[in-house]
Amino acid sequence: MAGTDTHRREETSAAALLEVLRGEPARRPRVDPGLAGGLREWLEDEMAPVAAGRPAGSPALTVDRRLVAGATAAEEPPGGGPGLRLNQVRGLLLGTLFRQLVTTGRIGHPLEDALAGLSVTGRGEAVSAFLASRSAAERSRLRRELADQAARMARRWPSLTPFWLPRTGEHLTVPLAGGRIVLSGLVDLLIGAPANGRASVCLVEVSAGTHGGDRRLGLRFLALLETLRSGAAPARVATFDAMAGELEAEEVTETALCQTVDLVVHQVHRTRQAGHRTAPAHRGEAGDPPPPSAPSPSPGSPASSASQTPETDRRSPGRRMERRAA
Amino acid sequence: MRPVLSPMRLPKARTLTEALTAPADGPGGELVPAVAVRLTEALGRLENQLPGGDRLRVDEYLLATAVEDPRAGPPPSEPFRWSARTARRSIGIAAVRACHHGLHRTPAEAVAGVLEQLVEDSRGEAGRGGSLGRWLAGLPTGARAAVQAEAVTWATRLHVSLDWGALPHGTVVGGRDQWWDCPWARRIGLRGRAEVRTWTADGTGGPGTGRRPALFCLRPGMPGPTSRTELALPALVSSLVVPAGALPARVVGWWPSCGRAVVLEVDGEVLARAAASVVAAVTGHLDGRSVREAAVSR
């Protein structure tokens, strides 16, 4: 299944976006039934000492995309809590409108629709309070911006056939080390029936310029979670930039997944060394995203390289998998 | 035969369906009369501690909180409110049922149809302000879309969980929750909820190896230490309310968020443990309540 990443960027019509989402069905890789098991085993091996080193009775260590993608506190995605920033509010409003567009195919009055949508998902009060704290001119500007973005989104985003089984707000949770470490993610849009022989699922993230860290790493992290929970790697992952109406997609390869496992291990070890980022285990599916992560420098930065742990062989993820297969 | 779930086998829906409908081991529930008697006596004693007029519903949530922390007492009760999250199962399960009956081909279409029908039906519901249909009918466009989106996601999860064509005739999607009101404690009721009720395949022809009920439960999040107890509850309730001979063979719990399944083979021991957990949960609930009331009065 190993192959070269393809990275495409489209700025054209809804039909072109649809082609990017679908890819070429004949080129989709065959599902490697051992891959998910190998990745899980690798993670379990690496996480066991981390879990063992945690105090008895401590809450599960939650690893989310922001931690893996190296988001800083200033870049936290919207959580709906107190102290929302403008970017976060934009993200919440646009995300809600995207969900509406995918589900119903239309957006009527962008700001009213988004606020109404948030009101039944538990985030309405925080956003309303934020808006109420702004001047009339700022509110008016936000309304105009949102209307422009919603119009662009509605023009660019393709209508998906229900046979692709589009579902929004899909939670992915992978417990490791008996649930003491939990990998957790939220996919904005998942398309495709579960795999049966060939990779069939596409993960889409909607971007409103608020997700922190390296977007590509975050998406690959979600791809890894989907692989672990379903037993089959997704065919591709994509980011829909709702501000610009553009879609970026990449095929999911074994190499990318191995690198992501490596990155997860690395970031967890860094977190352990820093002695922070603990959160209660999410047994249920919280309506809101998990609590914000602690600041962490981007992977590859001098700080992260310096804290690399000896048990993590970052240079040869493929060799690790080969050893496991053997 | 104990069903084995291989994580390597795809599609998972086929594996889950085979695990759910595999022939049963044996009769399994011979101990039910003894379990029922012990449970009835214990709940009868506990009911006296329940404040006059109060009713207690024992469901998976109460069991889970009691098993996790027996001294925690009842969780603070909040008045029920409809939201995208509380509405998704009702809408989603009706949608999957519609797909199963061939009325719609996809969950998204089915959810849209169910929503429309609920709103339509609510127009004749004078005075039933708390119904889902009335709530939906009063929602603005954006809020109804958010509910619809949440329900589509829930319904799709259930829709892709099983190989529907391989399920036997008589499979029921959703259906009413099963309730068992304790004969000696009418104010304490046990609720058994399963998303799908179906049948196992015929076994070897020995005693008790014929078709038996099998329950499928879709769960959020990931399995935890109380999951087996939670799964045992619908089996216990089913054992208590249905005539002997139709005891569930197994309960399959499925956590699609993490792709994990738990297959609980139901036998007398499982039922006895579930009944003991119910008694412990009710005891914890009542103890916790009295502790809290004492704290408030001080």
Side-chain angles (χ1 to χ4, degrees), chain A residues 34-47:
Chain A
L35 176 63
L39 294 171
R40 180 181 287 276
E41 195 188 326
W42 179 1
L43 277 165
E44 290 282 6
D45 282 357
E46 297 285 1
M47 294 299 141

Side-chain angles (χ1 to χ4, degrees), chain B residues 2-273:
Chain B
R2 191 174 187 81
V4 175
L5 289 174
S6 164
M8 308 257 290
R9 234 183 112 204
L10 298 174
K12 286 198 174 180
R14 191 175 303 151
T15 312
L16 281 170
T17 305
E18 286 172 3
L20 184 64
T21 58
D25 262 347
E30 312 95 294
L31 294 179
V32 161
V35 170
V37 167
R38 280 203 299 275
L39 183 61
T40 302
E41 286 174 352
L43 295 181
R45 284 193 296 274
L46 289 168
E47 190 194 30
N48 297 330
Q49 298 171 38
L50 203 59
D54 277 14
R55 287 184 59 82
L56 181 60
R57 178 180 74 184
V58 181
D59 56 14
E60 311 90 51
Y61 181 63
L62 186 84
L63 270 192
T65 49
V67 172
E68 275 172 357
D69 185 0
R71 294 183 180 178
S77 60
E78 287 177 10
F80 177 81
R81 280 194 341 184
W82 286 114
S83 66
R85 200 157 180 218
T86 55
R88 67 185 178 189
R89 184 184 182 274
S90 304
I91 300 167
I93 211 154
V96 176
R97 188 163 51 238
C99 291
H100 182 56
H101 291 163
L103 301 175
H104 292 283
R105 290 180 296 173
T106 66
E109 293 168 322
V111 164
V114 168
L115 277 177
E116 207 172 295
Q117 192 63 50
L118 280 166
V119 172
E120 180 68 29
D121 292 349
S122 74
R123 298 209 170 101
E125 290 178 354
R128 285 195 60 204
S131 78
L132 176 56
R134 285 287 287 273
W135 179 69
L136 289 168
L139 288 180
T141 308
R144 203 187 290 183
V147 175
Q148 187 173 342
E150 195 72 27
V152 168
T153 300
W154 193 96
T156 306
R157 284 181 158 197
L158 180 57
H159 181 73
V160 301
S161 293
L162 293 168
D163 181 0
W164 296 93
L167 288 173
H169 182 69
T171 295
V172 176
V173 183
R176 286 178 181 277
D177 294 340
Q178 284 188 320
W179 283 92
W180 181 73
D181 286 328
C182 177
W184 290 5
R186 289 286 179 190
R187 290 187 292 142
I188 299 177
L190 273 58
R191 187 187 76 179
R193 170 174 280 186
E195 273 61 44
V196 178
R197 294 174 189 274
T198 186
W199 298 88
T200 64
D202 278 330
T204 55
T209 58
R211 273 162 48 108
R212 285 174 54 194
L215 311 178
F216 182 78
C217 298
L218 192 77
R219 293 279 188 250
M222 56 191 186
T226 64
S227 296
R228 296 183 82 81
T229 309
E230 292 169 48
L231 291 178
L233 183 63
L236 175 66
V237 176
S238 197
S239 310
L240 291 165
V241 299
V242 299
L247 303 164
R250 70 180 62 90
V251 184
V252 174
W254 171 234
W255 284 260
S257 288
C258 64
R260 294 233 173 139
V262 171
V263 180
L264 183 70
E265 296 291 320
V266 179
D267 57 19
E269 200 183 321
V270 165
L271 295 176
R273 273 206 304 268

Side-chain angles (χ1 to χ4, degrees), chain A residues 179-210:
Chain A
R180 281 172 292 169
I181 295 172
V182 178
L183 310 187
S184 167
L186 178 69
V187 180
D188 292 327
L189 172 64
L190 202 64
I191 309 168
N196 181 14
R198 278 192 187 276
S200 57
V201 165
C202 175
L203 276 59
V204 181
E205 180 191 52
V206 185
S207 150
T210 54

Side-chain angles (χ1 to χ4, degrees), chain A residues 65-66 68-69 205 214-223:
Chain A
R65 53 157 290 155
R66 289 166 294 171
V68 174
E205 180 191 52
D214 187 320
R215 192 180 309 288
R216 231 171 144 190
L217 296 181
L219 262 176
R220 287 179 178 182
F221 175 66
L222 294 176

Side-chain angles (χ1 to χ4, degrees), chain A residues 122-200:
Chain A
R123 296 172 189 172
E125 281 178 22
V127 173
S128 296
F130 174 88
L131 293 177
S133 71
R134 297 285 143 160
S135 68
E138 283 176 306
R139 282 200 300 273
S140 178
R141 193 163 54 242
L142 184 62
R143 175 186 287 274
R144 277 199 307 276
E145 274 177 23
L146 193 66
D148 286 348
Q149 287 153 2
R152 196 175 303 122
M153 196 160 67
R155 218 168 35 243
R156 293 274 172 88
W157 183 256
S159 172
L160 302 177
T161 165
F163 290 100
W164 283 15
L165 302 176
R167 57 267 194 204
T168 53
E170 180 86 21
H171 287 265
L172 308 177
T173 313
V174 176
L176 298 168
R180 281 172 292 169
I181 295 172
V182 178
L183 310 187
S184 167
L186 178 69
V187 180
D188 292 327
L189 172 64
L190 202 64
I191 309 168
N196 181 14
R198 278 192 187 276
S200 57

